[in-house]
Amino acid sequence: MKKYILYTIVFTFFMSSAVFAQAKNEDGFIQSDTIRQGKNVQLVALPIIFYTPETKFGFGGGGQLFLLNQTNEYNQRLSNIFFSAIYTSEGQFIFEATPQIYLGSGNYFIDMFYTFRIFPNSFWGIGATTPEDNKESYNQTTNKFDITLLKRLPPNLNFGLSLNFANYKITEVLEGGILDSGAVPGSDGATISGMGAVFNLDSRDDIGAPQAGNYLSLAARFSSELFGATHAFNKFILDLRTYQRIAKKSILAFRLYVENNYGDVPFQGMASYGGSKYARGYFNGRFIDKHMYILQAEYRWRFKERWTLAGFGLFGSVNDEAGDLFSFNNLKPSFGGGIRFKLIKDKSTWLRLDYGKGIDGQSGIYFGVNEAF
């Protein structure tokens, strides 16, 4: 595992530099680490190599396409499209695209997400106390698309509506296993489809790596058979973040994330504990249930203009009943740290490498783009 960490750091940063050096200016690509202004479109290429508990060793490529003439004039954020294609040693294929487009000088914001996944995965059952020996493998193909249209309400408020669609096709399960029994909602596949509403307050100084400000998001989503869903349920999400400067080059970042689901919830739509953004140190989906909360804090020291060191700690849990969620039973704590590197001097695109360690032997190495929150 230590070998993978070293390979990730050396290969990723080395290849990123090589991409910049070889890119051709006449084609609109980056020639150096500074994007030239005046062009309508600019592309940053990203080689990707990583290791996580869910994927093991993975590699691929991606990029971030900046639309230089589509700017939010109120906070100078650029419209952009991030995309990536990845293949892993577990036989998983993942394609993702996340367009973020500002219209009307920033008065309107379109936030989209699409993913296609062929994803052999692991399942332990539902709940906070599922034993390790419950583990079984299954294969699933996913098509997921979300689009949210937000209207700016000055100065930092946004309100909008969303359309959400996800199709989960189970292609293989363990014979005689938990999913094979048919007792788990979604074990024979699921379609989640419906609408939602989003309200947020966003005063962050930077989306990729905030150094100051706050973020508050309230979201409600409704999956309904009227939209072609196989399961009808409601999802409510509270996401609170704050960034407090404690020294010239240091900040403390805090995040509280709460998710509640009510109704006929397939396991694919349940709250999932773990992963590179919500609970580093745990396999993403090691613990799932209808309700979840995660509280995390992270110290970030930007010791150079384009380099940051970070250390984090977190705890949380999942539960079948919302009323029992904050009873502090079955807590899942973890801690860890990592390093970040800013790819382009005047654009907020950061490479992030973290190591997290949980309890009961859980741990993970995470490579991503921009901060976890």
Side-chain angles (χ1 to χ4, degrees), residues 1-18:
M1 187 171 292
K2 292 180 180 178
K3 180 171 61 176
Y4 287 139
I5 299 176
L6 179 61
Y7 287 171
T8 302
I9 297 173
V10 174
F11 182 84
T12 301
F13 292 159
F14 174 78
M15 287 299 294
S16 298
S17 300

Side-chain angles (χ1 to χ4, degrees), residues 45 62 101 130 140 144 165 179 224 232 236 245 266 277 289 328 363-364:
I101 310 298
T130 51
Q140 180 172 263
K144 183 176 182 180
F165 174 84
L179 292 175
S224 171
F236 302 94
R245 188 173 298 279
K277 291 188 176 181
D289 215 322
F328 294 101
S363 65

